[in-house]
Amino acid sequence: GEGSWYYTVYEVAADARTVRITSKVPEEAARCMVQSSRGDMPGGFVYMAHMSGGPSSSRVKQKVLVNSTIRIKTLRTRKAAADGNERVFLNEMLRDLAAELVMPDLAVPGAVRVVEGVPTAHDLQPRPLYAPTAQQLGLIPSVQIPDLVRDLLPATQAPAAARKLLRRWLLRPPPAEVADHMQHLMAELLRLDKGLPQVAITLTVGKLVNLCDRKEANGALFQTLSGALQSTIQVLQLTESEQEHPLIPPLLALVQFESGISVSSDRLLEECQNINTYIGSIVVTDDMTGNWLDDVKEYTDSHIITAMTRQIADVVSGVHQSIQELVLNNEGEFRSAVQPTATPDVEAAFGAVDEARNQYLNAIVRGYKEDYPNWIYQGLNNQFLIGMKNAKTKPSGKNLVRPKDRHQKLMADKYWTTEDVQEKRGSYLTACQEASVAARRALEELCESLNVNTGAGSSQLQYAIAALHLNEILLTTSLHAREAIRRGWCLPQLEPEALATCKQPIELVLMGLAPYWLDTATVVRNDIALQGQWFLTAPNMAGKSTLMRSITAAALLANCGLAAPVTQHGSYVPRLDGYFLRPPTTDCPTEGMSSFALECEDMRILMRDATHRSLTAVDELGRGTSPRDGATLAGALLEHLDRLQCLSIFATHLYTELKELPLVLPHTIDKTLRVDQQGNKEHGVQWTYQLQDGLCEASLAIATAERQGVPEAALERVRELMEIQVQMRIQPTNTVESVPSAKQPLKNPENTPVASAPRRMCTSDDEFQRAVSLVAVVCGVDLSYVCWLPKGQEPPPRLATSTTCLYVLHIRRRGIMYVGETEALADRLKKHRRNHGPLDVAVFVIPMEKGGRSAARLFEAQAIQTLNQEGVVLSSGNDGKHRQFGVGVPK
């Protein structure tokens, strides 16, 4: 209607065999979806159904694809044109796509899993972001705009898949029900005080599905899948008060939304265990890789080394290394992939390899014992040879022949072999090839079995897909929770979904709002209570654009169920159906539009799509034309948004022109950002970035120009040409009181020597718990508040970073303990596990009220001294010699 077009968008992930359908997408939002996912487009083309009365391909290319080189393939079908049947279009598209990508299974009915949006009981369905909004939040990468996703995750630990998930989540805000599940999951992670199983994103759904469908999955892929399944099993077995852990229901709901697979916790746990057991019967696990090499070494010691009589002590290590290199080159791939008993064929083939290898080695030994001690293994050509220095002719001896290299060419004269060795080598290589074929066949059968229907229309592969999604979602959210805690971000209260149909004006409350890209320790925070429209005026560089970008980002994050840069107490975010963040524009030559034409286009879209539940932030509309004409355009939009009573912020420098117009704005409030000035000189301006009521008629352009280094001669001329300059006079800011500090020495009060108990190793869980109890007494903490992390568990997000902790390690394989303190527990435990292997960990939180980091160091030294006195063997004993610590007085 009125030149506007709406689309149904099908996003096909060919490798993962899924298509996500999004309906009623405005043309501008479809453009943003294409721009944000262009790198993922298979083949570099898009399909379009030519419905009767629909847009032409030239319009789609200009308005949606932005005149890019992406090809449009128009599908014209009678049925689709007659009744607009979207499924007909989808089937035709998949058939054509299968031919383009040479993936015939895409065209098989039911082979592609359809993921659709969650139906809602009301019409409030969030729209995908428009391109200008996405660009202003950095969701479409730009060097000028800070990337919102980058600040949601730790800088060094977040995998690309986690960033991709959050970027898609924000570009296409989820329905209210799904956002609630995400917020519940985040709330559980933020309050979690126990360890989480280790999860990782090392295998994508697309890779798993594609390789299993093609029967090309190798042993390494199944080993990775087994690790993901094991992580899923451990997560699903989490309990709280002997009940299912409260983070599992929202986690499974998000898995269903992302994958389109609905599954219960019990069924997913059962299927993951079954798949993992089956994979373990076929595929070699990580801890079994070296077993067959040990068997080869044992045979070498008993049959090869003992048969050598000449200078045995000098050649043993060389023989071991050469034989190990031989078997790794020829047997490593299939033996590290499948179990020797995976199938009867594999068992027979592996046995034949063992026999052929032993015959080959025995033939080498026979040649060694007779006349030729200079046997060498040449890895490049994969064979044992007799090395003769400066041999010009065939050396004396029986059955010597010239060997061939890997290209089947005769080698140099100085290399020889025997007919017996050459024959046995050929038999060995043939046996290895047959074993490799048998192993490949076993893996193909494993791929087939995963696609077998297990009942209720589901296959084991679908449960494996659900497990991968669970790992991806849990890792992404736990990393986000960890970063939120580090930055001091919180979960705002979301408006109940039941109130989403309310027609009354809505209010957005953001307490302690901070720009998402700035350090919250030093940033200026503002309390936001937005209802109706704000008419925002402020000088240049005062922070108008920053404020609007921060408000939009916080509202979007909250409506997606994620943490936002606000304080939790008092923050309240309504359910929103759209976000429009419009920056000052330039021209667009590729579309033949001037800057003012773009402003009119943005105004058309905003007036068409905004509802009373939309958030709009318009920055300097009307500056692309004359001030008088621009003011009338801005005034018309101000009145429209005021009547709509949506959440709106309208920033402008056209105050002088707008105040002359007879505007009717009963729901609009004047807001400004305070600037402190001393005297009448421009260099006395202080930008405070604090929001307050009021109007600002002065732009302080000269002060901004002076700050940016404009030459003084030009500034003087500017002053001469200005007829009047209005200056704001605001009270100076208050000073912040400093916080004192104190010193607390650590010493033995009586200065008497302390007797120590006999040294003893920590060999049991009871001894570890007893030692932890002693440390708890030192810290003055009840054992019920200790966070226990047995074996490989990760710390909960609230303890992972930015929390002062005292921790006690039980290094199992050495039978000793370690006491330490840190503010980066996750990284510290990762280093300990790298050095010491499996650990049991007990964590004590040292809050700021007890002195924070300095108190933790004090408790560390006292704990070490106490454990030393009890005879516990520690690897951190030297830290107990510390004597003085600065303990900050809490605020």
Side-chain angles (χ1 to χ4, degrees):
E2 298 183 359
S4 299
W5 302 97
Y6 294 85
Y7 296 80
T8 298
V9 180
Y10 301 78
E11 297 174 275
V12 180
D15 284 349
R17 309 297 194 274
T18 59
V19 54
R20 182 175 292 275
I21 303 177
T22 310
S23 302
K24 298 180 182 179
V25 180
E27 188 170 65
E28 299 75 22
R31 170 177 175 173
C32 179
M33 294 174 73
V34 170
Q35 286 182 333
S36 63
S37 60
R38 184 171 294 170
D40 301 327
M41 286 189 178
F45 50 82
V46 299
Y47 291 87
M48 188 185 82
H50 189 76
M51 304 295 186
S52 56
S56 65
S57 59
S58 60
R59 177 182 178 87
V60 173
K61 188 168 185 178
Q62 181 183 14
K63 296 295 186 180
V64 177
L65 303 184
V66 199
N67 292 321
S68 68
T69 57
I70 297 176
R71 292 179 292 145
I72 295 181
K73 304 196 72 175
T74 304
L75 301 178
R76 302 170 183 266
T77 64
R78 262 182 214 171
K79 189 172 182 182
D83 58 15
N85 191 322
E86 295 175 350
R87 292 289 175 173
V88 173
F89 164 67
L90 175 59
N91 293 335
E92 278 205 26
M93 178 182 66
L94 292 176
R95 282 196 295 270
D96 195 272
L97 188 61
E100 283 278 355
L101 301 180
V102 196
M103 300 173 69
D105 52 312
L106 284 178
V108 177
V112 176
R113 190 172 68 258
V114 178
V115 181
E116 298 187 82
V118 177
T120 58
H122 46 75
D123 295 332
L124 182 60
Q125 184 73 22
R127 293 186 295 274
L129 298 190
Y130 301 124
T133 304
Q135 289 167 347
Q136 286 301 301
L137 296 176
L139 297 176
I140 295 179
S142 170
V143 294
Q144 292 90 7
I145 307 298
D147 186 352
L148 177 57
V149 171
R150 181 199 65 189
D151 292 296
L152 299 181
L153 299 168
T156 58
Q157 300 174 352
R163 294 192 294 269
K164 185 176 179 180
L165 172 63
L166 287 180
R167 194 176 304 278
R168 185 179 70 250
W169 193 263
L170 293 170
L171 285 167
R172 302 149 179 78
E177 180 183 350
V178 179
D180 285 341
H181 291 311
M182 175 61 83
Q183 190 178 65
H184 292 161
L185 176 59
M186 284 295 303
E188 291 299 327
L189 289 170
L190 290 171
R191 76 171 184 84
L192 192 65
D193 56 3
K194 295 182 179 179
L196 278 175
Q198 287 183 321
V199 291
I201 307 175
T202 53
L203 176 63
T204 63
V205 171
K207 184 176 181 180
L208 173 66
V209 174
N210 189 34
L211 292 180
C212 284
D213 282 351
R214 294 175 181 240
K215 300 178 184 177
E216 296 175 0
N218 57 19
L221 181 139
F222 283 115
Q223 289 169 1
T224 305
L225 176 59
S226 178
L229 293 171
Q230 187 60 39
S231 296
T232 303
I233 292 169
Q234 293 175 1
V235 170
L236 295 175
Q237 290 175 337
L238 290 174
T239 59
E240 186 173 285
S241 302
E242 299 183 357
Q243 301 292 326
E244 182 181 65
H245 200 285
L247 67 77
I248 293 177
L251 181 58
L252 290 179
L254 294 175
V255 169
Q256 178 181 350
F257 177 73
E258 282 294 306
S259 66
I261 301 173
S262 177
V263 62
S264 67
S265 173
D266 293 339
R267 185 62 188 274
L268 181 58
L269 176 61
E270 178 185 357
E271 292 297 336
C272 285
Q273 290 173 331
N274 292 339
I275 299 170
N276 208 28
T277 301
Y278 184 41
I279 291 176
S281 69
I282 303 295
V283 178
V284 174
T285 56
D286 291 338
D287 56 353
M288 300 174 62
T289 305
N291 292 354
W292 61 276
L293 286 176
D294 294 337
D295 296 339
V296 172
K297 184 178 183 299
E298 181 179 351
Y299 182 87
T300 302
D301 288 335
S302 59
H303 292 78
I304 306 301
I305 300 298
T306 56
M308 295 181 175
T309 58
R310 298 175 181 170
Q311 300 175 344
I312 183 68
D314 297 333
V315 300
V316 170
S317 61
V319 170
H320 277 261
Q321 182 177 353
S322 298
I323 293 177
Q324 180 172 321
E325 189 175 355
L326 169 74
V327 296
L328 283 175
N329 285 343
N330 295 283
E331 305 175 39
E333 182 176 353
F334 58 81
R335 285 194 182 274
S336 61
V338 299
Q339 298 274 14
T341 58
T343 65
D345 289 345
V346 169
E347 190 171 8
F350 279 28
V353 170
D354 290 336
E355 183 177 354
R357 183 204 326 113
N358 294 340
Q359 291 180 0
Y360 180 32
L361 295 177
N362 289 331
I364 294 171
V365 171
R366 286 194 295 272
Y368 177 92
K369 289 178 64 177
E370 291 175 1
D371 301 306
Y372 311 108
N374 297 325
W375 283 96
I376 60 172
Y377 176 70
Q378 193 178 66
L380 184 64
N381 293 300
N382 189 29
Q383 57 183 313
F384 278 94
L385 300 170
I386 301 172
M388 297 291 183
K389 295 183 179 180
N390 302 320
K392 298 296 183 181
T393 60
K394 178 179 178 180
S396 61
K398 300 177 182 180
N399 303 323
L400 288 183
V401 295
R402 291 272 299 282
K404 293 182 179 180
D405 62 15
R406 66 187 186 282
H407 302 300
Q408 299 303 308
K409 294 182 180 180
L410 290 176
M411 299 180 66
D413 293 341
K414 63 179 180 178
Y415 295 117
W416 297 86
T417 186
T418 68
E419 293 179 354
D420 186 29
V421 169
Q422 197 169 43
E423 178 187 350
K424 296 299 187 292
R425 175 177 178 268
S427 300
Y428 171 58
L429 295 181
T430 300
C432 288
Q433 291 175 355
E434 293 175 352
S436 180
V437 171
R440 181 67 257 166
R441 192 179 302 117
L443 293 174
E444 290 174 357
E445 292 174 0
L446 178 55
C447 291
E448 290 178 354
S449 66
L450 289 181
N451 279 303
V452 174
N453 198 316
T454 60
S458 300
S459 65
Q460 286 189 323
L461 184 60
Q462 284 191 310
Y463 292 107
I465 291 170
L468 292 181
H469 278 290
L470 185 146
N471 277 259
E472 181 179 272
I473 294 169
L474 182 57
L475 178 62
T476 301
T477 51
S478 61
L479 288 175
H480 174 50
R482 183 183 300 182
E483 185 67 6
I485 292 172
R486 188 188 74 83
R487 288 173 167 264
W489 291 15
C490 299
L491 290 173
Q493 180 186 354
L494 265 176
E495 178 187 26
E497 187 181 0
L499 300 179
T501 57
C502 177
K503 299 300 182 181
Q504 298 298 319
I506 57 177
E507 183 178 15
L508 173 67
V509 179
L510 301 171
M511 305 302 292
L513 175 68
Y516 62 83
W517 63 94
L518 297 180
D519 183 7
T520 53
T522 58
V523 73
V524 176
R525 294 180 176 270
N526 279 293
D527 293 337
I528 305 299
L530 173 60
Q531 186 176 30
Q533 182 166 233
W534 283 358
F535 183 67
L536 182 61
T537 55
N540 294 296
M541 297 287 290
K544 299 187 297 297
S545 299
T546 295
L547 180 67
M548 291 190 292
R549 185 177 291 113
S550 302
I551 291 174
T552 305
L556 174 63
L557 289 170
N559 271 270
C560 290
L562 302 173
V566 298
T567 56
Q568 191 168 19
H569 180 69
S571 295
Y572 181 86
V573 179
R575 306 283 181 170
L576 301 174
D577 62 3
Y579 309 83
F580 196 96
L581 177 57
R582 186 209 170 273
T585 58
T586 57
D587 61 344
C588 185
T590 58
E591 298 184 34
M593 301 179 73
S594 66
S595 59
F596 181 66
L598 283 176
E599 289 182 340
C600 294
E601 175 74 0
D602 290 342
M603 182 175 177
R604 177 187 70 84
I605 297 168
L606 181 56
M607 297 182 73
R608 179 197 69 193
D609 292 343
T611 71
H612 81 286
R613 281 193 170 270
S614 299
L615 173 61
T616 70
V618 181
D619 195 2
E620 297 190 36
L621 181 75
R623 76 172 191 173
T625 185
S626 66
R628 185 175 297 276
D629 292 342
T632 57
L633 185 78
L637 183 58
L638 275 166
E639 288 189 328
H640 174 79
L641 296 175
D642 185 274
R643 289 192 299 271
L644 199 59
Q645 296 190 57
C646 65
L647 300 178
S648 173
I649 306 173
F650 197 100
T652 183
H653 285 293
L654 298 175
Y655 170 74
T656 303
E657 290 78 8
L658 283 168
K659 72 178 182 180
E660 298 175 355
L661 302 177
L663 301 179
V664 180
L665 304 171
H667 306 110
T668 300
I669 300 174
D670 295 331
K671 290 286 185 177
T672 188
L673 290 158
R674 195 180 85 218
V675 175
D676 290 343
Q677 291 178 266
Q678 298 177 359
N680 296 321
K681 294 184 178 181
E682 293 84 2
H683 63 266
V685 174
Q686 178 65 43
W687 287 266
T688 69
Y689 311 112
Q690 289 284 351
L691 182 70
Q692 64 179 26
D693 294 335
L695 285 167
C696 174
E697 299 185 46
S699 67
L700 299 184
I702 294 181
T704 304
E706 185 179 45
R707 184 179 183 181
Q708 298 305 119
V710 174
E712 182 60 30
L715 294 177
E716 285 297 331
R717 181 57 179 161
V718 170
R719 295 185 186 96
E720 293 175 3
L721 295 174
M722 293 183 66
E723 296 180 357
I724 186 170
Q725 182 179 17
V726 179
Q727 296 185 350
M728 298 175 60
R729 302 186 181 276
I730 303 176
Q731 296 296 325
T733 58
N734 295 327
T735 59
V736 180
E737 295 181 0
S738 60
V739 179
S741 62
K743 294 288 184 179
Q744 180 175 343
L746 173 66
K747 61 184 180 181
N748 182 358
E750 291 78 20
N751 286 323
T752 57
V754 180
S756 297
R759 303 282 94 183
R760 67 176 185 276
M761 308 300 286
C762 182
T763 58
S764 68
D765 292 339
D766 290 338
E767 290 179 346
F768 176 59
Q769 292 180 3
R770 178 179 176 277
V772 172
S773 300
L774 295 174
V775 177
V777 174
V778 171
C779 297
V781 176
D782 189 90
L783 276 180
S784 61
Y785 291 95
V786 176
C787 178
W788 299 89
L789 304 176
K791 295 185 180 178
Q793 286 194 350
E794 290 289 326
R798 70 181 185 87
L799 301 183
T801 57
S802 304
T803 300
T804 302
C805 300
L806 179 73
Y807 62 94
V808 184
L809 306 182
H810 178 197
I811 304 174
R812 285 177 168 267
R813 68 184 185 186
R814 295 175 60 192
I816 63 175
M817 293 176 55
Y818 180 99
V819 179
E821 58 82 27
T822 183
E823 289 183 337
L825 182 61
D827 290 340
R828 186 66 62 86
L829 293 184
K830 184 177 181 181
K831 294 177 182 177
H832 282 306
R833 287 181 177 127
R834 189 185 306 127
N835 295 331
H836 303 300
L839 302 169
D840 291 330
V841 187
V843 184
F844 300 80
V845 179
I846 310 300
M848 287 302 298
E849 299 83 60
K850 287 195 173 184
R853 187 71 183 272
S854 296
R857 292 172 178 169
L858 172 67
F859 291 145
E860 176 194 20
Q862 291 177 338
I864 290 172
Q865 289 184 354
T866 299
L867 295 178
N868 277 329
Q869 293 166 15
E870 292 296 320
V872 177
V873 179
L874 298 172
S875 64
S876 54
N878 288 334
D879 292 341
K881 299 177 182 179
H882 296 168
R883 284 293 178 268
Q884 198 164 19
F885 305 86
V887 181
V889 176
K891 296 181 182 179

